[in-house]
Amino acid sequence: MVLFLSKILRVFVSFLMLFSQTAPQFFELPAIPSGQEVNLDERFELVWEDEFEGDSLDMTKWNHNWWEVERKGGYWHEDMVDVRDGNLVITTAYFTDPPENYYEDYFATHPGSHEYKEGWYTACITTKGKFEQCYGYFECRAILPASSGMWSAFWMMNTHVEDVDGSGQDGTEVDVFESMYYKDNWWGAGGAVISGIHYDGYGEGQQSASIGKWWVDNPYEQYNTYGLEWTPEEYIFYINGVETGRLSKGGVSQNPEYLILSCEVAGENGIAWADRHGVGEMSMDTDETAEFIVDYVRVYQHK
Ligand SMILES: [Ca+2]
Ligand SMILES: [Ca+2]
């Protein structure tokens, strides 16, 4: 009987999923990318890339964690960043004793900052101050970390994102993709990512828009590409070179932005307790690790 009900429910969910392909926001179920193709060779010229071919992070291109060490339910630490086998690998792992290498310079210049404690460690890298671009096409090819409570992302920012002027034209956080639905695997949403924008800071003035959830092909086990085309008129999001959606709320950023690759652990104050924004609690045990594996980041300008 339970099996039978389960089957009925799955048929119903399949129907919802089919329907949701044309109305992803309504049912909040993911849709399959089905828009225009990006046509890279025809329309774009490669201007910046990191193929992660070396054996350490290229510090001419990237910085480690630029703003805080305690991040939601975990900690950002540069030891969690590796370059190997042609990939950037951001590992998430639990440490009873915090790793060595305490960013001494960071604590010296940020006296109020939190210290490392027992908990989940992961990482964030950014091109801030080393590479920024306005408009073009931005793509990464990645395998996502497989645990609920994990939130990996490829995104961009500039220093004006926090300026509250009723517009996103000065600067907008653009989330090319964010993955935090691993826990929703039964519904199929576990294989989905979300894309969106935020501007006018992160307080009362914050404005946001999203294109909703989109299915990715087996994102926790195989590579897929996540792309953003940024024009003066709109942001166009792509998965594997196929358009998922477009946004232009608040006006498109007209200022250069830097790139960010990050992993976060849901929670607060360094404790992974929370189901923040539906991310779920950590499903990994503390003796397990998860990897955010990035084959490349490539940036193009329109021809
Ligand atoms: Ca603004
Ligand atoms: Ca590579």
Side-chain angles (χ1 to χ4, degrees):
M1 185 62 181
V2 171
L3 265 179
F4 175 72
L5 283 177
S6 164
K7 200 169 180 181
I8 293 284
L9 200 53
R10 277 167 192 271
V11 168
F12 178 64
V13 167
S14 299
F15 167 76
L16 285 185
M17 285 171 173
L18 198 67
F19 190 84
S20 75
Q21 285 171 30
T22 52
Q25 304 268 19
F26 185 72
F27 281 110
E28 289 195 4
L29 286 168
I32 294 170
S34 59
Q36 71 171 10
E37 291 187 19
V38 69
N39 285 332
L40 270 182
D41 294 343
E42 211 172 285
R43 301 175 52 225
F44 296 93
E45 181 183 4
L46 185 69
V47 293
W48 187 95
E49 66 188 313
D50 196 341
E51 303 290 331
F52 302 112
E53 289 297 337
D55 55 11
S56 63
L57 190 66
D58 184 345
M59 299 307 291
T60 68
K61 293 178 177 171
W62 300 96
N63 304 298
H64 287 287
N65 161 33
W66 82 108
W67 101 73
E68 57 189 353
V69 294
E70 183 193 288
R71 179 64 176 171
K72 296 179 183 166
Y75 298 89
W76 276 338
H77 195 293
E78 65 182 68
D79 283 4
M80 309 314 287
V81 177
D82 254 328
V83 174
R84 57 178 142 88
D85 304 325
N87 294 296
L88 167 80
V89 181
I90 296 179
T91 301
T92 303
Y94 193 90
F95 288 101
T96 310
D97 297 316
E100 297 294 320
N101 186 0
Y102 274 56
Y103 291 121
E104 281 171 15
D105 292 347
Y106 183 91
F107 287 118
T109 53
H110 297 70
S113 59
H114 299 280
E115 291 184 22
Y116 289 122
K117 295 174 185 162
E118 176 176 356
W120 288 100
Y121 281 73
T122 185
C124 167
I125 62 169
T126 160
T127 65
K128 187 179 185 183
K130 295 181 177 172
F131 174 75
E132 303 191 5
Q133 179 170 306
C134 186
Y135 312 136
Y137 179 73
F138 307 75
E139 182 178 273
C140 79
R141 181 170 185 263
I143 300 172
L144 311 183
S147 170
S148 65
M150 290 292 320
W151 188 323
S152 62
F154 175 44
W155 47 304
M156 52 185 68
M157 293 265 283
N158 71 16
T159 49
H160 299 291
V161 168
E162 305 224 26
D163 297 349
V164 182
D165 65 346
S167 160
Q169 294 182 347
D170 47 345
T172 293
E173 176 190 321
V174 185
D175 302 322
V176 182
F177 88 84
E178 296 180 286
S179 80
M180 64 276 227
Y181 300 118
Y182 187 81
K183 79 181 177 88
D184 290 333
N185 230 1
W186 194 89
W187 292 89
V193 297
I194 195 166
S195 304
I197 57 173
H198 306 277
Y199 61 93
D200 278 3
Y202 300 96
E204 280 183 12
Q206 180 177 3
Q207 298 286 322
S208 301
S210 171
I211 60 166
K213 297 173 190 169
W214 294 86
W215 264 310
V216 187
D217 200 6
N218 200 12
Y220 303 100
E221 291 179 7
Q222 71 185 49
Y223 289 107
N224 291 276
T225 69
Y226 303 89
L228 167 77
E229 182 177 351
W230 170 12
T231 76
E233 291 80 36
E234 59 190 345
Y235 305 105
I236 308 171
F237 299 89
Y238 295 87
I239 292 174
N240 294 326
V242 178
E243 177 184 337
T244 51
R246 301 179 180 216
L247 295 172
S248 58
K249 185 184 177 187
V252 168
S253 174
Q254 297 169 5
N255 285 323
E257 308 222 350
Y258 52 85
L259 315 178
I260 307 167
L261 287 164
S262 64
C263 265
E264 296 172 5
V265 170
E268 254 177 44
N269 303 321
I271 298 165
W273 59 268
D275 188 6
R276 186 189 157 103
H277 299 321
V279 180
E281 296 183 2
M282 296 297 281
S283 58
M284 290 196 278
D285 290 329
T286 53
D287 61 351
E288 293 177 302
T289 60
E291 291 181 336
F292 179 26
I293 299 170
V294 183
D295 175 24
Y296 64 72
V297 175
R298 296 175 184 161
V299 179
Y300 302 77
Q301 283 175 351
H302 290 95
K303 277 186 182 167

